[in-house]
Amino acid sequence: MKLFNYIHQVKFPKVIRNSSFSTLWHKPDKKFLVPKAYVVIDFHCPLANNSPEAEVLTSLFVSLLTDYLNDYAYNAQIASLSYSISSTATGFQVAVTGYNHKMRLLIDAIMMQIAQFEVKANRFSVFKETYLKEYENIKFSQPYSQASYYLSLMLYDQSWPSNENLEALSALNADHLSKFIPNLLSRTLLECFVAGNIEAKEAEKIITDIEEILFKTPNSVFKPLFPSQYLPVRVAMLESSLKFLYRMKGMNLKDENSAIVQYIQIHQDDPLLNVQLQLFSLIASQPAFNQLRSVEQLGYITSLSSRSDAGVRGLEVIIQSTVKDPDNLDARIDAFFASFERTIYELNDKEYKRNVKALIDSKLEKFKNLWEESGYEWAEIINGTHKFDRFESEVEVLRELKKEEFIDFFNQYIKVNAPKRKTLSVQVFGNKHLTEYERVCGESDTPQTYRIEDIFRFRRSRPLFGSRRGGPCQIAVQS
């Protein structure tokens, strides 16, 4: 093993190769100086999640592929290498990390297994049974998890309900997967990132070898993706000054717990709004817990935090309770925001600066190792944002942020009845609150609320945030 000597300091990843088959990002390591590398290959396959059946079959393919590679696990471990294969919203992903001197052998072995994949009926049956149990057990999950699941189902443009996945899975057999795999792989784009102790020429050689194995062997099912088939994840846009409500009975009729997730959608990845949202979350999270959990004792599970969905940022409050029904919990959350106005307005300069400094300090913390840094950079690549200096640029914005601007952010986006407030309240009623469920279902909506009766009709009716991901060959090779 040896460390490559890079003449020039490379601060950020850059695209060093484009082809009809792949895009390659590369960043050599000049910080940690270890003979290790981080390699990730994302398979963008438009047929991977275009139906409940396709989503289930893709998951089965990934599980079987991982199972078939178990023979390599021990040797990889001996060589201090690790690998993972996982489903994504747009296909599947292979990641390999560890010492770089034997990494090529492992990557080639994984790619050969993908290229020569065959379904073994006995192993298919094992994993089908596992997935059947997992889908059936969803109804026994915690009510707050059910609420979070339904929130994601309403936000993400191409996502499928678990009951449809279960129905599709029940009818599948090994032959269905055997016929599906050639279709899945028939149009594929590889989005790749190689970081660490690997020179640019070696990184290019890794990817050209992968292209040879997958796309250029006789009878290969792999073909390059048409640009029009590049379908990134997109998120539904909520409406200002309106609260959307979705109410449902808990899946487990024996569970007394009810739950709510109140989600406030803010923006799509803007530096100023990013830091203002993060600052509010920092200031409000502990007071929210104290008021809703400790003082009002509404539920053991209580939290306020920011969240990101494909780069769309928002705030969510979660409560799980046997004490109050979800409609009441929703009112208590709004009451907290109303009472918290005074805290925001009376925030003195010293306390404001203390919170700003705490947020700045968290952003200036150094990455501990190559994996942390590369994982952060890969997230920027796969989200299409490419803001590799995000922390530094947001620190600069924070240093210039005035308290009056922060208060205006609260008044515009967070405050109850704020002009730009976009709210979605997902309410799960446990068996202790079924009477309240019947009551609220019989009530009329106010002018400021909209009741969602059909999740998918609602999702189809909403405009979508644009994606930042450019698609095949949209990013020029950088010298």
Side-chain angles (χ1 to χ4, degrees), residues 53 56 60 124 128 131-132 135-136 162-173 176:
E53 184 178 67
V56 170
L60 285 165
F124 174 91
K128 176 181 176 179
Y131 277 108
L132 284 171
Y135 282 122
E136 289 168 350
S162 59
N163 62 308
E164 291 185 6
N165 285 353
L166 177 60
E167 183 179 339
L169 177 60
S170 300
L172 295 176
N173 57 42
H176 289 109

Side-chain angles (χ1 to χ4, degrees), residues 163 189 229 291 323 327 334 384 399 445 474 476:
N163 62 308
L189 175 70
Q229 291 181 293
Q291 179 62 33
V323 178
D327 194 56
D334 283 347
R399 285 175 172 154
D445 295 331
Q474 293 297 303

Side-chain angles (χ1 to χ4, degrees), residues 31 114 203 219 278 325 363-364 366 395 415 435 439 452-453:
K31 182 188 297 184
I114 294 172
N219 304 316
Q278 293 161 16
D325 68 89
K363 291 181 178 295
L364 292 179
K366 302 296 184 182
V395 164
K415 179 180 175 179
T435 301
R439 174 181 58 78
I452 300 170
E453 302 288 354

